[in-house]
Amino acid sequence: MLHFLIIAPLIMAILAPILFKKIKGVHTGWFILVVPLFIFIYLLSLVSTVIHKPLFLQLNWMPSLGINFDLYVDGLSMLFGLLITGIGSLVVFYSIYYLHKTEKLGHFYVYLLMFMTAMLGVVFSDNLFVFYMFWEFTSLSSFLLIGFWNHREKSRYGAQKSMLITVFGGLSMLAGLVWMSIVVGTNSIRGLIQHADVIIQSDYFLPILLLVLLGAFTKSAQFPFHTWLPDAMEAPTPVSAYLHSATMVKAGIYLVARLSILFSGTDEFFLIVSGFGLLTLCWGSYNAVKHTDLKGILAYSTISQLGMIMAMLGFGTGVAVFAAIFHILNHATFKGSLFMVAGIVDHETGTRDIRRLGGLFTLMPITATLAIFGVFSMAGIPLPILNGFLSKEMFFDAAVDLRLESGSIYQMVAPFFPVIAVIGSIFTFVYSMILYFQTFTGELKLSKLERKPHDPPLGMLLSPFVLVVLIIVIALFPGPFNHYLLTPAVAAVMGSEVPHTKIYFWHGFFNAPLFMSLIVLFTGTLLYFTRSKWVHVYDRFPGSWSMNKAYDSIVGGIFKGSATLTNTYMTGSLRNYFRIIIGFIAILGLYTIYITTGFKFDQVTNSALAIPELIIALTMMIAAISIIFISNRIAAILALGVVGYGLSLLFVFFSAPDLALTQLSVETVSVALFLLCFYHLPKLKPEKDTSGSKLINIIVSVAFGLMITFIGIASHSSKWFESISDYFLKYSYKLGGGDNVVNVILVDMRGLDTMLEICVLGIAALGILAMIKYSRKGDVE
Amino acid sequence: MRTNDLILKTTTNIIVFIILAFSFKLFLAGHNMPGGGFIGGLMTSGAIILMYLTYGIGPINKVFRVPFTILVAIGLSIAVATGIGSFIFGQPFLSHTDGYFYLPILGKSHLATAVLFDVGVYLTVIGVTMTIILSIAEDR
């Protein structure tokens, strides 16, 4: 059943364009909505079984390669599955009101459904390679969704950027996955986890870890790969809400969480994951403050929140993992609602620029109220109705808790972590306040808006409303969520029964997390009110420096560099190509002879040298060398003839009458052909080459000649086995009925060669005929 | 304009037959002596070229109506057909056989199917050579 449900969105994707074309009256989204809703309900019905025992469902796909569509449903994948389908349903519902029927809805829902299948596949797959397939499928469908309005240049740029970065990471991850499966000898993720010690103790642990983490970091927009996420905001807002807050960017988180049993406990994993997580947290929240675009702020906020989750996964302690899992759920709720609110503001006012917005509370009271909950939850304001506060408190708890861990590296870096966490959270607070108060309070600038805003239709408000209700419900009654979703998920990540962690709003007086929250609150408020004083800091740091620029210069550099490289050897000059080809053959040949010491000169197999042969050879040599210096074409042709006839004479001396005859006739015919063409050819021009280029020609030709000579001598001097010629001499008459062994070989023993050779001749003739007879017609046209 | 090369024409008339005869000899003797389809074909085309050289393209085309491009096709077909023919006797492609036969005029003769294949080669080579040379020569 689950196999079918994972594929169900894809099947629906086939129907979506048909529904869009055929049924004009109803918004296509209504039909689509059924799919995620149904999967959501089905998954809900599984929850109670999964908390007791994870499900494992098998389906053979390519058993011979060990690639099977096996599904593994435990707490972690269940949490993600519910997020994907639940928020998916809300997003589809929201998009019904957000996207007008004149948009290319057929395309939109196809991409969205493709994405849904991909994401479900990622979280439920047990097979590494099926997992990877779905992983890349998310990249592909997200590329299509970001570029949905493909007439905009920025959409195309953002789509390309996200594609390049996530696929770069995905391919690295594939290398890591293959490596792991080779080291352990299984393709099953569960199998890998059972053999965690094999991987940790293998020599390749570090490269495997780095490659896999590269995939997770690019997908989850960790520093320095976060740069694609802000540009992905060109997508329609439902897509941003869905992909870039709740689901796809959490695929990397999922991967790290899934494999953290494997890697956790090692210093490398701890340092890299928590280090980059905290860096991303600070960098994202710091940069979010300077943005003026609602979705831009939200994008950087997503980056920083993902960094926070990643850092907690890196800590790897019980509290930290619990907080991470809890924050995954919370972030999905409040960030989803915030994106939808931003979409509503954009939809109603025509702009997302906070410099043009303000005072919208009086005009859009419902939207503003919804936004309050999302924003304050994100900032972690200490109110019992905000789930963001609960998980942020646990994050501080986890950061402080780390000091208790033993181990040299832990003890060395642990004291800094709470400080970094607080700094990151202060900026989170500041941008959250900016996001809300700049948009909904203050002076109303109606003149700058395209239309007079008012609250949107109820349908558009319903999805953010549901999410806001969730924020409050999770905050007030965390117990059931904890029991059914979080604890099984934590158990899946930690790999053991976790001590039942309770979610408290109130940790009591005099504990570190409370003080940290208070510091964040006060410093944040202070910074918010004095922001006009310090905001020019951004001109100094990062100033004009950004990861975007780095990305652009890398991509541009690759383009330019490859163009320059190609232009250096793809000159279009045949002489040049010939030099390269011959030169490399000569180098390879000579080098091979050198390293294998294959050169051998054996005097024994040589026959005695006769004078006439020597004379002929000398004549041929003189003729050949003279061709180089002859500047008269007819003389060159005749000199070439001398070489040919000399060869025919040599054949006579070496008792090859057939060859001699053939060589004689062929040489005659070809000299005649040369002379035929003679009238049409321009005069030979003296060489215009520079002396350097001539020198290269000489070196290359001499090297090539030497190589051929060496190979000839060496192969003549080494006989490894009896030649086959005795057989031919013996059986020529018996089997072929002829005394002329050469001819018997040609027509009987190896007749196929001859047949193909005459085919070659025929083709050559037809080619010449076509070239001469029919090329003129082309000229006229 | 072509001058009246009486000596050339006269000698050509005689020599062409000698060359043709020699080329047939080379062709037929191929199995036991130097020669064969390839050289025979080249030699025959040599004779034809000599005729073209002596009389020019126009006059020869009038009396000597051989479509050389089709000759290539015929030659290739014969070569392939001899190869396929061995299938009839349940033999692999291009299997040849030979034997002694009594022919009405020639008496006891040694015949080999390989000669049939050589006929294909012979015709192809003539066709190819003549096609190339004539098409270049006619290209003015």
Side-chain angles (χ1 to χ4, degrees):
Chain A
M1 183 66 178
L2 197 58
H3 284 106
F4 171 71
L5 285 182
I6 286 177
I7 301 300
L10 263 192
I11 297 166
M12 194 63 191
I14 298 170
L15 297 176
I18 302 169
L19 291 170
F20 178 58
K21 282 262 167 64
K22 294 287 169 200
I23 306 172
K24 295 276 184 198
V26 189
H27 194 286
T28 319
W30 290 110
F31 304 110
I32 308 299
L33 186 58
V34 181
V35 177
L37 213 55
F38 183 74
I39 306 176
F40 181 71
I41 292 165
Y42 179 76
L43 287 179
L44 271 186
S45 73
L46 279 184
V47 166
S48 53
T49 26
V50 168
I51 58 171
H52 297 301
K53 191 173 175 293
L55 286 174
F56 182 64
L57 306 160
Q58 277 182 302
L59 182 70
N60 278 1
W61 181 21
M62 294 182 256
S64 56
L65 295 175
I67 298 176
N68 292 318
F69 190 15
D70 294 340
L71 301 181
Y72 183 64
V73 190
D74 61 0
L76 186 66
S77 38
M78 184 52 91
L79 173 69
F80 274 91
L82 286 172
L83 278 181
I84 292 158
T85 48
I87 294 188
S89 316
L90 294 175
V91 161
V92 170
F93 189 79
Y94 177 78
S95 70
I96 292 172
Y97 290 90
Y98 186 85
L99 289 174
H100 198 258
K101 266 192 271 184
T102 49
E103 297 271 9
K104 291 179 287 181
L105 290 179
H107 293 208
F108 180 78
Y109 286 113
V110 168
Y111 304 157
L112 199 71
L113 289 166
M114 269 164 65
F115 175 77
M116 206 175 281
T117 284
M119 208 55 215
L120 286 172
V122 163
V123 299
F124 286 119
S125 294
D126 182 52
N127 192 287
L128 282 179
F129 298 105
V130 176
F131 167 81
Y132 173 74
M133 179 189 83
F134 283 120
W135 180 277
E136 290 299 21
F137 206 23
T138 65
S139 297
L140 180 69
S141 47
S142 122
F143 167 78
L144 292 169
L145 282 167
I146 296 169
F148 177 63
W149 285 315
N150 53 19
H151 53 273
R152 295 186 192 166
E153 213 222 312
K154 282 185 94 179
S155 292
R156 298 198 300 269
Y157 172 77
Q160 189 199 33
K161 193 177 193 178
S162 77
M163 184 75 162
L164 283 178
I165 293 180
T166 53
V167 169
F168 160 72
L171 289 175
S172 319
M173 189 186 79
L174 177 63
L177 298 183
V178 171
W179 214 333
M180 277 203 287
S181 84
I182 290 171
V183 168
V184 180
T186 173
N187 290 343
S188 153
I189 294 178
R190 281 191 319 149
L192 286 182
I193 288 168
Q194 278 159 10
H195 296 95
D197 49 329
V198 179
I199 294 180
I200 289 178
Q201 279 153 20
S202 85
D203 298 338
Y204 311 117
F205 172 67
L206 194 62
I208 288 175
L209 178 73
L210 288 177
L211 287 171
V212 172
L213 285 183
L214 204 56
F217 282 3
T218 49
K219 200 70 159 184
S220 282
Q222 300 294 301
F223 187 88
F225 307 110
H226 64 273
T227 168
W228 65 266
L229 188 59
D231 282 302
M233 290 301 131
E234 291 303 319
T237 305
V239 173
S240 309
Y242 188 36
L243 272 69
H244 307 126
S245 67
T247 52
M248 187 177 95
V249 288
K250 294 215 173 83
I253 302 275
Y254 170 79
L255 177 67
V256 173
R258 178 56 82 201
L259 295 182
S260 73
I261 313 181
L262 258 181
F263 297 130
S264 68
T266 57
D267 290 343
E268 294 92 339
F269 177 78
F270 167 71
L271 276 183
I272 296 171
V273 176
S274 59
F276 274 95
L278 287 173
L279 184 61
T280 313
L281 163 66
C282 292
W283 185 253
S285 59
Y286 176 71
N287 271 297
V289 178
K290 80 173 174 186
H291 276 265
T292 54
D293 175 35
L294 283 181
K295 279 173 87 176
I297 298 176
L298 288 174
Y300 272 100
S301 135
T302 304
I303 291 167
S304 89
Q305 303 275 324
L306 291 170
M308 178 171 141
I309 298 171
M310 197 64 96
M312 288 189 280
L313 287 174
F315 293 168
T317 56
V319 189
V321 171
F322 192 89
I325 298 292
F326 192 25
H327 201 70
I328 289 171
L329 175 65
N330 294 343
H331 177 249
T333 56
F334 65 69
K335 193 52 66 65
S337 74
L338 282 177
F339 265 111
M340 289 174 185
V341 166
I344 290 171
V345 170
D346 187 17
H347 203 263
E348 294 301 318
T349 62
T351 181
R352 298 192 314 240
D353 193 332
I354 55 171
R355 286 167 303 189
R356 289 163 67 190
L357 296 169
L360 290 179
F361 193 92
T362 46
L363 296 174
M364 307 168 69
I366 307 175
T367 317
T369 316
L370 291 178
I372 287 184
F373 289 99
V375 165
F376 283 17
S377 180
M378 179 163 76
I381 306 267
L383 282 176
I385 50 166
L386 300 172
N387 59 1
F389 171 68
L390 301 181
S391 46
K392 181 145 291 188
E393 195 87 329
M394 292 174 85
F395 167 54
F396 289 150
D397 200 12
V400 174
D401 189 44
L402 207 59
R403 218 181 301 172
L404 307 174
E405 291 278 323
S406 55
S408 59
I409 292 185
Y410 280 69
Q411 266 167 355
M412 203 156 64
V413 295
F416 301 106
F417 280 7
V419 182
I420 301 172
V422 167
I423 293 172
S425 301
I426 289 171
F427 283 105
T428 306
F429 185 87
V430 176
Y431 72 69
S432 301
M433 293 306 110
I434 291 176
L435 189 68
Y436 183 75
F437 289 109
Q438 294 280 307
T439 314
F440 292 106
T441 64
E443 182 196 352
L444 186 61
K445 301 159 203 163
L446 274 183
S447 59
K448 287 187 180 176
L449 301 179
E450 286 167 19
R451 43 188 174 268
K452 190 170 157 51
H454 54 79
D455 265 326
L458 216 58
M460 210 166 179
L461 284 171
L462 187 70
S463 293
F465 178 73
V466 171
L467 287 172
V468 164
V469 167
L470 267 177
I471 293 176
I472 298 167
V473 170
I474 293 173
L476 289 180
F477 311 104
F481 289 96
N482 185 0
H483 179 68
Y484 286 107
L485 288 179
L486 304 180
T487 309
V490 176
V493 176
M494 302 289 288
S496 55
E497 282 300 314
V498 264
H500 192 64
T501 314
K502 280 214 168 68
I503 300 170
Y504 295 107
F505 168 63
W506 185 243
H507 288 259
F509 287 110
F510 304 115
N511 58 19
L514 181 67
F515 279 120
M516 284 157 80
S517 285
L518 289 179
I519 292 171
V520 169
L521 193 59
F522 286 119
T523 326
T525 317
L526 197 69
L527 279 178
Y528 172 69
F529 283 112
T530 58
R531 69 184 183 284
S532 55
K533 297 248 169 53
W534 57 271
V535 84
H536 55 261
V537 157
Y538 286 101
D539 301 335
R540 303 253 172 204
F541 180 75
S544 64
W545 182 84
S546 75
M547 275 302 145
N548 256 337
K549 277 204 173 157
Y551 166 82
D552 286 338
S553 64
I554 288 172
V555 172
I558 288 172
F559 267 105
K560 254 192 213 154
S562 52
T564 324
L565 187 69
T566 311
N567 284 339
T568 51
Y569 68 91
M570 284 280 156
T571 51
S573 143
L574 289 180
R575 172 177 302 192
N576 215 7
Y577 300 156
F578 203 64
R579 258 185 217 156
I580 293 172
I581 294 167
I582 296 292
F584 269 90
I585 293 174
I587 290 170
L588 285 180
L590 288 174
Y591 183 66
T592 311
I593 291 171
Y594 175 72
I595 57 166
T596 56
T597 56
F599 183 70
K600 201 165 94 178
F601 183 64
D602 191 356
Q603 194 66 40
V604 179
T605 53
N606 290 341
S607 49
L609 193 65
I611 298 296
E613 288 157 14
L614 194 67
I615 293 170
I616 295 164
L618 276 176
T619 319
M620 282 169 74
M621 271 165 70
I622 293 166
I625 291 170
S626 65
I627 292 173
I628 304 171
F629 299 102
I630 292 171
S631 53
N632 182 354
R633 198 183 294 269
I634 197 159
I637 293 170
L638 293 178
L640 200 61
V642 170
V643 179
Y645 289 126
L647 187 63
S648 149
L649 258 182
L650 276 185
F651 282 142
V652 171
F653 278 103
F654 292 136
S655 48
D658 290 271
L659 287 184
L661 272 173
T662 313
Q663 172 67 25
L664 203 66
S665 338
V666 167
E667 190 60 37
T668 314
V669 170
S670 53
V671 168
L673 279 176
F674 268 127
L675 292 174
L676 258 179
C677 305
F678 182 74
Y679 283 111
H680 304 289
L681 292 173
K683 266 204 158 170
L684 265 185
K685 286 188 193 121
E687 291 278 328
K688 272 189 207 153
D689 264 358
T690 56
S691 55
S693 148
K694 259 187 186 165
L695 190 69
I696 292 174
N697 286 348
I698 291 169
I699 292 171
V700 167
S701 50
V702 168
F704 191 74
L706 274 179
M707 183 200 80
I708 296 290
T709 313
F710 284 161
I711 289 177
I713 293 173
S715 55
H716 180 73
S717 303
S718 34
K719 286 256 185 298
W720 296 101
F721 36 74
E722 277 301 301
S723 142
I724 196 175
S725 52
D726 286 341
Y727 172 84
F728 287 130
L729 290 173
K730 207 167 160 193
Y731 288 103
S732 166
Y733 191 81
K734 217 180 262 178
L735 293 177
D739 285 329
N740 183 348
V741 181
V742 174
N743 206 44
V744 169
I745 290 174
L746 278 179
V747 299
D748 200 338
M749 310 265 195
R750 301 251 175 96
L752 196 62
D753 293 357
T754 313
M755 173 178 288
L756 295 178
E757 272 158 26
I758 58 175
C759 284
V760 169
L761 283 178
I763 291 165
L766 291 182
I768 290 172
L769 189 70
M771 231 159 50
I772 290 172
K773 286 268 156 105
Y774 302 112
S775 65
R776 288 294 151 84
K777 281 181 192 164
D779 290 346
V780 175
E781 275 175 341
Chain B
M1 201 55 218
R2 189 173 285 275
T3 51
N4 194 9
D5 301 319
L6 189 61
I7 297 174
L8 180 65
K9 283 179 180 173
T10 315
T11 45
T12 299
N13 289 348
I14 303 163
I15 287 174
V16 160
F17 284 102
I18 297 172
I19 301 177
L20 279 177
F22 181 57
S23 76
F24 284 132
K25 190 260 167 196
L26 275 178
F27 165 62
L28 289 173
H31 229 48
N32 294 317
M33 270 182 277
F38 200 84
I39 304 162
L42 277 177
M43 205 63 89
T44 308
S45 34
I48 300 170
I49 291 169
L50 184 60
M51 289 198 284
Y52 273 105
L53 280 177
T54 318
Y55 290 101
I57 291 171
I60 293 298
N61 275 353
K62 267 182 204 155
V63 292
F64 200 73
R65 294 185 186 176
V66 181
F68 291 111
T69 44
I70 293 174
L71 208 59
V72 177
I74 294 170
L76 286 176
S77 311
I78 291 174
V80 175
T82 51
I84 292 172
S86 53
F87 287 150
I88 299 170
F89 303 100
Q91 297 291 319
F93 188 63
L94 270 178
S95 302
H96 289 302
T97 181
D98 64 297
Y100 291 91
F101 298 94
Y102 281 99
L103 293 179
I105 303 164
L106 298 169
K108 187 186 175 192
S109 315
H110 180 209
L111 295 180
T113 52
V115 177
L116 286 175
F117 182 77
D118 237 9
V119 171
V121 176
Y122 176 75
L123 292 179
T124 311
V125 170
I126 297 175
V128 167
T129 323
M130 293 317 296
T131 307
I132 293 174
I133 289 184
L134 284 184
S135 52
I136 292 177
E138 281 175 343
D139 179 47
R140 293 291 168 202

